[in-house]
Amino acid sequence: MTDSLSQHQEPNGEAPAVHLEPDGDIAFIVIDNPPVNASSVAVRSGLLDAIERLSGDAGIKAGIIIGAGSTFVAGADIKEFGRPPSPPELPTVLAAIEACPKPIAAAIHGAALGGGLELALACDARVALADAIVGLPEVTLGIIPGAGGTQRLPRLTGIATALDLVTSGRRIGVREAAKLGIIDRVVEGKSLRDGAAAFVRALPGKRIVADLGVPPETDEAIAQAEQRALKSGRGREAVAEAVKAVKNAAVLPVREALAQERAAFLRLRDSEEAAALRYNFFAERQAGKLDGHARARPINSVGVVGAGTMGAGIASVCAAAGLGVILVDANTGALEAGKGRVSTALIDLHRVGKLKAASAEAAAAHVTYADNIAALAGVDLVIEAVFEDLQVKTDVLQRLAATVRADAVIATNTSYLDLDQLAEATHRPADVIGLHFFAPVHRMRLLEVVRGAKSDPTALASGVWLAKTIGKLPIIAGVCEGFIGNRIYTRYRAQCEYMLEEGALPQELDAAMEDLGFAMGPFGVSDLSGLDIAWATRKRKAAGRDPRERYVGIADRICEMGRLGRKTGAGWYDYSVGSGRGAVDPVVTELVRAEALKQGRPQKILARAEMQGRVLGAIVNEAALLLGEGIARSAAEIDLVLVNGFGFSKFRGGPVFQASRKAPAEIEAMVEAAGQATGFGFKRGDVGSLMAGVPN
Ligand code: 3HC
């Protein structure tokens, strides 16, 4: 091996993103671009340079591309996507690997995803550690593979399997990948370097995947895979384009199909959906990151107090993740009903593949039941999920504080109560945090982890750890009524109700909100969850309400008619005729019109864009207040709350992201309109600062 291979230095003196490490008659091409070896411009140039030098060195028979650190290559550098492509582009690098006269293998550990797997597919062989994963997740970012994934993968797996993998973005383990022909050798229990070196030395020569034919398959198998893909990716351009690209592998010359794939990739990369999904991707990576170095306290067992819908849901998700759970309820009837709820939720989690244990019964064995808080003396973390009432919760938390160990974390699942007041009442506020789950707990990904004024950083870190362990997305929130999600939702709903008094009907508002990005409009949502709880809250708060505040009484009138939503067969809509979304009811239309008349407000026809603008104005203003008050940490985390807890489409980023695509003057006009409609008590947030935090 010559010295020339190992002596390469970056001109600026920095550690190179790619370097060559000679090993006798072979050379390792090491990609070293922390944290995940994304194929940035420096990596692409480094690879090109390394291949050229390897090709020209007579002492070297073969090369092995390997990743430094914890992973192979996680894909293209997503941070580069908002900018024009910089040469050399990945397809150029892959063409150089194929043109290199010497065999080059990929040695995979950690993850080979997107451009990382495409890099490996351009190699002559793929060797991987047994616990590595591979996949082409591009559609989850609103794009399709842009460096040959749609052409090389089907040449190894067949079209039907490639359609499944590319259109779902599914990540698979190496054993499955080996069965599908993607991986040539699984290295068990020994060094990846040694295993790869031995394998490469025994290679007979080059095997260029792009030159292979597509394995034969029946038209029926392909048609079925295509139908499945288009069904689950309905309405998504990236999925439709991915299907088209993969199918090209069977009919077009490979160079032409590669060119078409690249063109579609570059076009989709600049789409609004891709921008929204990228925004979400980076926001999710920031969510739950804590300032400072506080470590979570060790948590193996969890106590839950209250076996109602929320408590049983919390117990189920903890058990599903393999934690030991004790569910406590003083009412033995409620405890029995809770057992049933836990079992139903675990069966559902098993069905969707989200159980650590082999079966719902095995997971259920993680839960024990008790009728006394004394049973929680030994647990590491306890969550109270009892009735939302200050006195009831204070009482339970005080008893918990006196029962659990001094190093245990005490969490409350309150939605609206003052966490700091509850924490003070325990006399150990440093151990208290909020864990605000959303119903149904086993389905909803959002978990607001609430930081009290005196919460110890280790208690907060424990809440974040728990959220991640049970598969939830932790969003850290400060203390205020409704935290992030419910506070925004309240403003959103109120703005919709104002519009009812100004001439809009529930079905028009629901349709406008669904068109904006919500999975279901606010009136449909009310009917689904029941109108009675919010009605009771309004009655409770009536005495303290400032009479100058705008108050819309239509929902009260609906409730007074006994229309409490789907469960009573009627609410904002009529459900007496079959199931489904409910029918528009002339009774409600008449009531809305009559109430509007009573208020004497001028009536007008509200265009869909106006309804959406009013709502966006109300949401971004509240988001700006939340940010200004330090309740929320960023615009992107507010959007994550609305996407993961309130059904806003992730393909549209979130309401704040949607607003940020508009001109500042238009945003200003939306906020102004929302403020005018609100009238007394409307407080302006610094919307400019909020928008400045949203990446382009
Ligand atoms: N580009 C840029 N940064 C990336 C990245 C990427 N592809 N993947 C991860 N990162 C960053 C994260 O933002 C995070 O940065 P931070 O520390 O500054 O917050 C850091 O790497 C670590 O990421 P995670 O917190 O996600 O680390 P994990 O260990 O939990 O997960 C992973 C590692 C499984 C690799 C996960 O990061 C992941 O799934 N990454 C995305 C993979 C992907 O979607 N690849 C396809 C890209 S598109 C493409 O390749 C196009 C091609 O066809 C041309």
Side-chain angles (χ1 to χ4, degrees):
M1 175 71 206
T2 63
D3 277 350
S4 66
L5 278 184
S6 53
Q7 277 170 352
H8 179 73
Q9 277 291 320
E10 288 293 292
N12 57 9
E14 276 179 20
V18 177
H19 65 270
L20 276 166
E21 281 180 25
D23 181 4
D25 57 352
I26 60 169
F28 285 95
I29 301 170
V30 183
I31 302 176
D32 191 358
N33 181 29
V36 291
N37 293 331
S39 62
S40 63
V41 65
V43 168
R44 299 194 300 270
S45 316
L47 281 171
L48 211 51
D49 184 47
I51 291 153
E52 199 183 309
R53 290 193 293 129
L54 185 140
S55 301
D57 192 310
I60 295 295
K61 269 179 37 197
I64 297 171
I65 301 179
I66 194 164
S70 60
T71 195
F72 181 67
V73 174
D77 187 340
I78 304 172
K79 293 197 184 87
E80 286 181 3
F81 280 8
R83 307 176 217 141
S86 335
E89 295 186 46
L90 195 53
T92 311
V93 178
L94 306 195
I97 293 172
E98 289 179 335
C100 173
K102 301 165 187 181
I104 297 180
I108 299 168
H109 72 299
L113 297 172
L117 180 57
E118 291 175 300
L119 171 65
L121 291 170
C123 292
D124 300 283
R126 284 146 298 279
V127 180
L129 281 184
D131 60 356
I133 56 163
V134 303
L136 292 173
E138 282 86 344
V139 291
T140 64
L141 291 166
I143 54 175
I144 66 167
T150 67
Q151 301 309 304
R152 294 188 180 91
L153 186 70
R155 286 175 160 79
L156 295 176
T157 64
I159 300 275
T161 301
L163 277 173
D164 165 36
L165 291 174
V166 175
T167 62
S168 68
R170 201 155 64 81
R171 295 151 190 231
I172 58 172
V174 153
R175 290 190 204 286
E176 185 180 349
K179 278 197 198 117
L180 294 174
I182 302 168
I183 298 295
D184 300 292
R185 173 69 55 87
V186 180
V187 179
E188 308 270 2
K190 61 175 170 177
S191 143
L192 177 62
R193 278 190 177 235
D194 293 349
F199 183 79
V200 164
R201 287 199 170 98
L203 277 179
K206 298 269 307 168
R207 180 178 180 254
I208 297 171
V209 176
D211 291 347
L212 302 175
V214 173
E217 272 167 290
T218 64
D219 289 347
E220 199 192 341
I222 295 174
Q224 279 176 1
E226 177 177 358
Q227 269 171 20
R228 269 197 303 273
L230 292 174
K231 192 171 164 215
S232 56
R234 204 178 12 246
R236 296 208 43 223
E237 198 187 355
V239 171
E241 286 290 348
V243 167
K244 205 167 120 195
V246 172
K247 285 178 68 189
N248 276 346
V251 291
L252 289 184
V254 69
R255 298 296 144 205
E256 196 178 326
L258 283 171
Q260 285 197 14
E261 176 204 73
R262 186 76 185 167
F265 161 79
L266 288 174
R267 187 171 54 75
L268 289 171
R269 215 179 76 138
D270 292 336
S271 68
E272 275 298 293
E273 180 178 304
L277 289 167
R278 276 200 301 277
Y279 166 73
N280 257 260
F281 173 85
F282 287 116
E284 285 200 7
R285 259 99 211 136
Q286 291 311 309
K289 275 196 185 157
L290 293 158
D291 311 329
H293 302 286
R295 302 267 295 265
R297 303 180 192 176
I299 292 160
N300 295 304
S301 58
V302 174
V304 181
V305 185
T309 321
M310 295 310 281
I314 297 168
S316 330
V317 290
C318 292
L323 295 165
V325 183
I326 304 175
L327 180 56
V328 173
D329 201 306
N331 178 329
T332 45
L335 202 56
E336 211 40 51
K339 268 185 205 173
R341 290 194 188 99
V342 168
S343 157
T344 309
L346 289 174
I347 290 168
D348 205 26
L349 285 169
H350 185 246
R351 195 175 52 77
V352 295
K354 289 197 173 157
L355 271 197
K356 208 171 169 197
S359 67
E361 291 81 43
H366 287 282
V367 190
T368 53
Y369 297 86
D371 61 5
N372 198 313
I373 277 179
L376 302 179
V379 297
D380 302 316
L381 180 146
V382 66
I383 306 165
E384 73 70 22
V386 297
F387 187 63
E388 182 79 355
D389 174 87
L390 184 64
Q391 198 46 54
V392 175
K393 283 201 187 280
T394 303
D395 179 51
V396 168
L397 285 166
Q398 281 176 335
R399 286 196 289 138
L400 282 172
T403 305
V404 297
R405 288 197 324 264
D407 60 344
V409 178
I410 303 170
T412 163
N413 179 46
T414 183
S415 307
Y416 288 99
L417 298 175
D418 182 341
L419 177 83
D420 289 329
Q421 194 181 343
L422 290 169
E424 283 302 336
T426 65
H427 301 297
R428 43 188 286 194
D431 295 323
V432 178
I433 56 166
L435 287 177
H436 183 217
F437 287 85
F438 288 75
V441 175
H442 71 288
R443 285 291 186 86
M444 300 297 284
R445 200 169 160 234
L446 176 64
L447 177 52
E448 287 177 326
V449 180
V450 188
R451 169 181 21 84
K454 293 192 183 160
S455 300
D456 186 80
T458 62
L460 194 67
S462 306
V464 169
W465 179 90
L466 181 79
K468 289 184 177 166
T469 303
I470 61 178
K472 303 291 176 207
L473 179 67
I475 299 293
I476 296 167
V479 177
C480 69
E481 185 171 318
F483 309 123
I484 299 173
N486 282 335
R487 209 173 114 173
I488 290 201
Y489 200 78
T490 303
R491 298 289 175 203
Y492 155 62
R493 264 208 68 95
Q495 201 61 227
C496 287
E497 293 194 7
Y498 301 156
M499 286 188 273
L500 284 181
E501 276 188 346
E502 295 164 26
L505 289 168
Q507 62 273 20
E508 292 166 355
L509 283 156
D510 275 353
M513 295 311 118
E514 287 161 24
D515 181 58
L516 180 67
F518 283 101
M520 194 185 256
F523 301 104
V525 167
S526 279
D527 277 357
L528 194 64
S529 45
L531 277 66
D532 41 342
I533 295 180
W535 188 28
T537 311
R538 288 196 298 275
K539 282 194 271 194
R540 210 174 48 241
K541 289 187 167 176
R545 192 177 303 122
D546 191 315
R548 290 169 295 176
E549 245 175 58
R550 183 169 178 185
Y551 182 79
V552 180
I554 301 174
D556 294 344
R557 301 294 92 72
I558 302 244
C559 293
E560 285 156 11
M561 293 162 82
R563 303 174 66 114
L564 301 180
R566 286 187 188 218
K567 59 186 174 189
T568 57
W572 292 96
Y573 297 97
D574 176 7
Y575 300 90
S576 60
V577 272
S579 54
R581 296 184 59 103
V584 170
D585 193 335
V587 172
V588 174
T589 306
E590 216 172 287
L591 181 113
V592 169
R593 297 282 187 239
E595 284 290 313
L597 207 68
K598 233 196 291 176
Q599 294 303 318
R601 287 198 184 263
Q603 297 292 292
K604 59 175 179 174
I605 294 171
L606 280 108
R608 186 168 277 198
E610 186 176 354
M611 298 187 221
Q612 294 174 342
R614 286 269 295 271
V615 157
L616 280 183
I619 292 179
V620 297
N621 187 65
E622 201 60 25
L625 289 171
L626 284 164
L627 199 64
E629 292 164 25
I631 305 292
R633 305 191 308 174
S634 69
E637 290 192 5
I638 294 172
D639 273 338
L640 284 183
V641 167
L642 286 145
V643 165
N644 293 281
F646 294 84
F648 199 90
S649 169
K650 68 176 172 189
F651 303 114
R652 302 206 191 162
V656 181
F657 181 80
Q658 281 297 308
S660 77
R661 315 312 272 175
K662 301 182 186 296
E666 196 181 340
I667 303 173
E668 175 58 28
M670 291 182 330
V671 175
E672 182 60 29
Q676 286 287 339
T678 309
F680 175 79
F682 180 77
K683 194 173 160 202
R684 272 236 175 204
D686 181 355
V687 174
S689 295
L690 175 82
M691 291 301 158
V694 182
N696 290 325

